[in-house]
């Protein structure tokens, strides 16, 4: 499964977002993802993608999040 699809699945499952609104250009802020949601999201993505995020900073869009995961 592509990383973007995994990210979409986690966002839909955990934050009850509509999948068609989750694009690589969408900002986390525009999707209503706050810092608490981000912590939860990172934990779930670390588990599903078998990666360790560390302290990701400067991630503002879904595309940047996907690129960060792919770089790990």
């Amino acid at each position: 499964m592509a990383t973007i699809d995994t990210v979409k699945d986690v966002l839909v499952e955990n934050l009850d977002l509509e999948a068609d609104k989750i694009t690589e250009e969408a900002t986390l802020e525009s999707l209503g993802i706050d810092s608490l949601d981000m912590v939860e999201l990172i934990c779930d993505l670390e588990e599903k993608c078998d990666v360790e995020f560390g302290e990701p900073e400067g991630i503002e869009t879904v595309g940047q999040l996907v690129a960060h995961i792919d770089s790990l």
Side-chain angles (χ1 to χ4, degrees), residues 3-71:
T3 306
I4 184 69
D5 295 325
T6 303
V7 170
K8 280 184 180 184
D9 287 348
V10 170
L11 288 171
V12 169
E13 286 175 22
N14 295 351
L15 301 176
D16 202 28
L17 295 172
E18 295 178 33
D20 62 336
K21 293 187 180 194
I22 304 168
T23 65
E24 291 197 27
E25 295 80 26
T27 64
L28 302 176
E29 184 179 340
S30 72
L31 295 172
I33 299 171
D34 62 20
S35 58
L36 182 58
D37 293 331
M38 192 64 177
V39 170
E40 211 172 292
L41 176 64
I42 287 172
C43 290
D44 289 340
L45 288 171
E46 283 180 332
E47 185 179 313
K48 288 197 183 243
C49 298
D50 195 30
V51 296
E52 284 290 325
F53 264 78
E55 297 282 334
E57 292 184 23
I59 295 176
E60 296 179 13
T61 67
V62 172
Q64 289 172 334
L65 180 61
V66 169
H68 181 73
I69 294 168
D70 287 341
S71 73

